[in-house]
Amino acid sequence: MTKPRVFVTRILPDRGLQKVLAQTDATVWQEELPPPRAVLLDWARQADGLLTLLTDKIDAELLDAAPHLKVVANFAVGFDNFDVPAATQRRVLMTNTPGVLTDTTADLAFTLLMACARRIVEGHTYAKNGHWRTWGPMLLMGQDIHGATLGVAGIGRIGLAMARRARGFGMRILYHDAFRSEVAEQELGAVAVSKAELLAQSDFVSLHVPLTPETYHYIDAAALRTMKPNAILINTARGPVVDTLALYEALKAQQIFAAGLDVTDPEPLPAEHPLYTLDNALVVPHIASASFETRSRMAEMAADNLLAGLAGQLPPNCLNPEALR
Ligand code: GLV
């Protein structure tokens, strides 16, 4: 029996990649940068399955070029790179990797929160550059974390995990979402508030909303103007949820205290971007789920989703079960 034809758009951790290689006729893109669109389209023409990253756009044009395609498995929980309705129309299954990266992502969000509050990178740079001459009474003063208020925008899996960490640090928790979270309220004493209240009252605002037309520039100049001067913004969601230019202006004018960003718009954020000139902007290159264990589990999950879809079964993490042929 011929094995299904599969394209994997980047080298992944072995735990998932070996499964795919063992059970399919797979080609793996070997380079660091994503395959160019023309390569992806060419692959799509031949593929029964694709294992993609969030940098690979899977839209109607690509799906129309792919007569044999049964399943596209994303190596990510976010899937704003997918046109799910277009795939459903064409009976192509789409999957993601929810759950396994929740705690690892929340760990990074909390790391950014602490690093910004206590000016960790600034302190390291200061010491390393030879500026540390004595103990300074007012040297690198930051914000307290304990007793402060965390505002969680989007109390899904990762937002809730972030709130749990905050609770452990004795923080008060506010959240804003379209839905009430009984767990957050009962377990953590979190209080549901409007977006305006969240922004006005929080010392830390952490973003955990998916990128949709409604959440594009969720934090814009007007939103930033309503935040506290000591406020710290954390974004581990998606870059375009924040208006980058407005954030730059707000940080430069010290209208808010700092921002910690795992995601940016554009992404990657080019080295010459003005945000890097600011001491109160901390940027890391979209690494929230990047622990050895979590990335291995994500690879395995994406492989299992892909293989199930290829076998005509419902993948464990299917975004559009109604597309099952
Ligand atoms: C990473 O951003 C993901 O969505 O998994």
Side-chain angles (χ1 to χ4, degrees), residues 54 76-78 101 238 286 298:
L54 46 85
V77 64
L101 48 69
R238 282 290 182 266
H286 205 150
M298 286 168 66

Side-chain angles (χ1 to χ4, degrees), residues 54 75-79 97 101 236-238 262-263 286 289 298:
L54 46 85
F75 176 78
V77 64
F79 51 89
T97 60
L101 48 69
T236 53
R238 282 290 182 266
D262 178 51
V263 291
H286 205 150
S289 64
M298 286 168 66

Side-chain angles (χ1 to χ4, degrees), residues 222-260:
L224 287 159
R225 270 196 297 275
T226 65
M227 289 171 69
K228 295 166 82 168
N230 65 301
I232 293 175
L233 179 70
I234 304 299
N235 190 7
T236 53
R238 282 290 182 266
V241 170
V242 175
D243 178 341
T244 309
L245 198 59
L247 177 64
Y248 166 73
E249 297 295 348
L251 289 170
K252 189 170 166 217
Q254 295 179 351
Q255 196 181 308
I256 65 170
F257 187 75

Side-chain angles (χ1 to χ4, degrees), residues 128-204:
K128 190 174 76 169
N129 290 344
H131 300 303
W132 184 15
R133 299 173 58 220
T134 183
W135 189 88
M138 293 192 290
L139 178 61
L140 287 167
M141 294 189 293
Q143 305 293 342
D144 272 331
I145 295 158
H146 67 275
T149 297
L150 170 70
V152 178
I155 194 93
R157 282 178 295 256
I158 301 171
L160 185 64
M162 180 67 169
R164 286 203 170 103
R165 280 152 182 74
R167 194 78 198 97
F169 275 77
M171 297 175 85
R172 181 168 83 104
I173 297 151
L174 306 177
Y175 75 93
H176 176 67
D177 206 323
F179 306 96
R180 291 288 287 269
S181 166
E182 269 184 42
V183 191
E185 292 184 20
Q186 282 168 17
E187 185 190 318
L188 308 171
V191 178
V193 293
S194 66
K195 179 180 171 189
E197 287 171 307
L198 186 99
L199 296 176
Q201 293 180 31
S202 300
D203 302 304
F204 298 87

